[in-house]
Amino acid sequence: MKLRNLLALLVVTSVVGCKAPAPTMTDDTIVTSVVNGVTLTHRYAVAAPGEFTPVNADYRAMYAGSILSKPDFGGKVIGQLENGQTYTVLGQVEHSWLAVAEKDKQVMLGYVPMRALVKSELYAQTLKKDRPRPRKAAKKTTCVAVDDASKACQNANSGTWIID
C-alpha cells in the first residue's frame, strides 16, 4: 500500500511541473506590439515597425496597389488596396511608409508607400491635377527657299505667304 501511494505521489509531482504548450502562431493570429509608446494590433504575418508616428486620419487610395507585411518593397504581399477606397492611416513608419487599417478600424492591415494614398479631403483635387492635359497643336510653318538669300513662309492662320 505504501509503494502504491509513493508511485501515485511520484506521478503527481512529475505532472505538476509540466506547462501547457504555447499556442501555435499562424499568420492570422492577432498580436499586439508597443512601438514608441503606441500599442498596435496586427496580424502575426505583419512585422511590427521600428518607428511609429501616429496619424489616425482617413486617406484614399490613388491606385490599386499591394499591402505589404513590412515597410519595404521586399515584404510579402498580404492584401490589395482598392482604387478610390477609403482607409484609416494609423501612422507613419520608417522609410516614409504608412501603416494602414480598414476604414474606422484599428487592426493594422499592413504597410503601403506614401504615394499610394492621399488625404480624403485632397483626393478630388489630386485627381484633377493628375489628368493629362491636351497639348496645343504647334503651328506648322511652311517655308520655301527663294534664291539663296531669302525665303517665303506661309502664315498658318491666314494662309498668306510672307517673303523674308
Side-chain angles (χ1 to χ4, degrees):
M1 187 79 170
K2 288 184 181 182
L3 186 58
R4 197 179 294 171
N5 289 340
L6 183 63
L7 283 175
L9 186 61
L10 183 64
V11 169
V12 168
T13 56
S14 64
V15 172
V16 167
C18 295
K19 292 182 180 179
T24 57
M25 297 294 233
T26 64
D27 283 350
D28 293 327
T29 303
I30 302 295
V31 295
T32 58
S33 302
V34 178
V35 182
N36 295 351
V38 178
T39 303
L40 298 173
T41 305
H42 55 90
R43 292 177 33 214
Y44 182 71
V46 178
E51 299 174 14
F52 186 81
T53 306
V55 173
N56 290 324
D58 287 340
Y59 279 64
R60 290 184 68 182
M62 291 299 295
Y63 53 85
S66 298
I67 300 173
L68 301 174
S69 63
K70 61 182 183 176
D72 187 355
F73 286 110
K76 187 171 105 175
V77 176
I78 56 175
Q80 294 291 321
L81 290 175
E82 292 183 36
N83 189 14
Q85 193 74 344
T86 302
Y87 294 90
T88 299
V89 172
L90 300 174
Q92 184 175 347
V93 297
E94 60 265 14
H95 311 299
S96 297
W97 281 59
L98 300 174
V100 297
E102 291 181 15
K103 182 170 172 52
D104 299 328
K105 303 243 174 129
Q106 293 299 312
V107 177
M108 183 170 58
L109 295 174
Y111 305 98
V112 296
M114 188 175 273
R115 67 178 178 265
L117 300 172
V118 67
K119 287 186 178 181
S120 291
E121 56 269 8
L122 300 176
Y123 182 73
Q125 179 183 353
T126 305
L127 282 182
K128 188 175 181 181
K129 282 184 182 178
D130 196 39
R131 285 188 196 137
R133 291 173 182 79
R135 293 184 182 177
K136 291 183 179 178
K139 293 184 178 179
K140 187 176 178 183
T141 57
T142 306
C143 295
V144 178
V146 179
D147 295 333
D148 289 333
S150 61
K151 64 179 180 177
C153 293
Q154 185 180 21
N155 186 341
N157 293 336
S158 64
T160 58
W161 287 88
I162 301 171
I163 298 174
D164 290 334

